[in-house]
Amino acid sequence: MDDDEGRSGDTPAPAVLHRRPPLTSDERRRALLAGLLPVPVAALLLTPFALWGPATAGDVVGAAIVYGGLLGLAAGFVYVDRVHGRQCPRCGARAVRGSGTCGTCGYDLELRPRYSCDQRHAIYLDPGLCECGRRLQPLPVARGVGREITLMLKIGAWLLAFLLGMGFLLQMAGPAGG
C-alpha cells in the first residue's frame, strides 16, 4: 500500500543540471581583479632582484607576467568556481554567500542531501521512490574542497616567499669562491 501511494504522489523528480546563471557585473569585476592583481604584486616582490641583483628590468617584467599571470589564472578560476558553487541544485538560483539554505526553494545548501536507490539509477534531491519503485536511500554527504584549497594556497605562498627570500640572500652574498 505504501508503494502504491508513493508511486503516484511521492515520486520526486531526478536532480537536473541547471545552466549556471551568468556572473553579475560586480562578480565579473571581482574575478577580473583576482586574475590581474597578482601580476603587479609579483612585479613588486621581484623588484629588489632588479635593483640589487643581476636581474634586469626586463627579467622582472617577464617573471611578473609569467608567475603573476599563472597565480592570477588560478585565483580567478577558484573565485568563479566558488561563485558557481553557491548555486542551488534544485532550483538553479544563486544563494547569498554564507547562507545555509536557498532563499528561493529552501534547499539545504550546507549538507546538500542527495538520494538514490540501491541500484543507483538516478540522483534525486528529495526522498521518495525511484522510477523503478525502490525506496530512495540517502547518499553520503559530498566532501567539499574548501579547506584543501586554502591549505595548498597557503603552502604555495609560503614556498614562494621562502624561495624568493633564499634567492635574494644568495644574490646578496655574491659569487662563491670568487
Side-chain angles (χ1 to χ4, degrees):
M1 184 168 134
D2 184 35
D3 289 341
D4 292 337
E5 286 179 22
R7 280 187 205 168
S8 61
D10 194 25
T11 304
V16 293
L17 295 175
H18 292 279
R19 186 177 182 103
R20 292 182 172 150
L23 297 176
T24 64
S25 61
D26 188 40
E27 291 169 339
R28 279 193 303 262
R29 249 180 273 142
R30 287 183 183 161
L32 186 65
L33 184 65
L36 293 177
L37 190 62
V39 175
V41 169
L44 183 67
L45 291 174
L46 293 171
T47 300
F49 290 104
L51 294 177
W52 299 301
T56 65
D59 295 337
V60 169
V61 169
I65 289 172
V66 169
Y67 298 116
L70 288 172
L71 182 61
L73 285 172
F77 177 81
V78 169
Y79 174 77
V80 171
D81 183 58
R82 297 312 314 150
V83 168
H84 285 308
R86 294 194 314 256
Q87 181 179 351
C88 177
R90 180 183 285 163
C91 68
R94 193 169 296 144
V96 180
R97 183 177 182 179
S99 66
T101 59
C102 176
T104 306
C105 66
Y107 183 73
D108 185 5
L109 294 172
E110 288 182 8
L111 296 179
R112 294 186 182 263
R114 301 172 305 136
Y115 302 90
S116 182
C117 69
D118 55 354
Q119 299 295 316
R120 306 274 179 168
H121 291 126
I123 303 291
Y124 296 88
L125 299 176
D126 296 313
L129 294 178
C130 181
E131 292 174 356
C132 68
R134 291 182 173 89
R135 178 75 46 199
L136 296 175
Q137 304 296 322
L139 293 174
V141 176
R143 278 187 26 168
V145 294
R147 289 184 292 173
E148 288 88 357
I149 288 175
T150 304
L151 178 65
M152 287 297 124
L153 288 174
K154 287 179 182 177
I155 290 172
W158 180 87
L159 186 59
L160 176 65
F162 176 75
L163 290 174
L164 286 174
M166 291 304 291
F168 186 67
L169 288 174
L170 288 172
Q171 291 296 325
M172 294 293 286

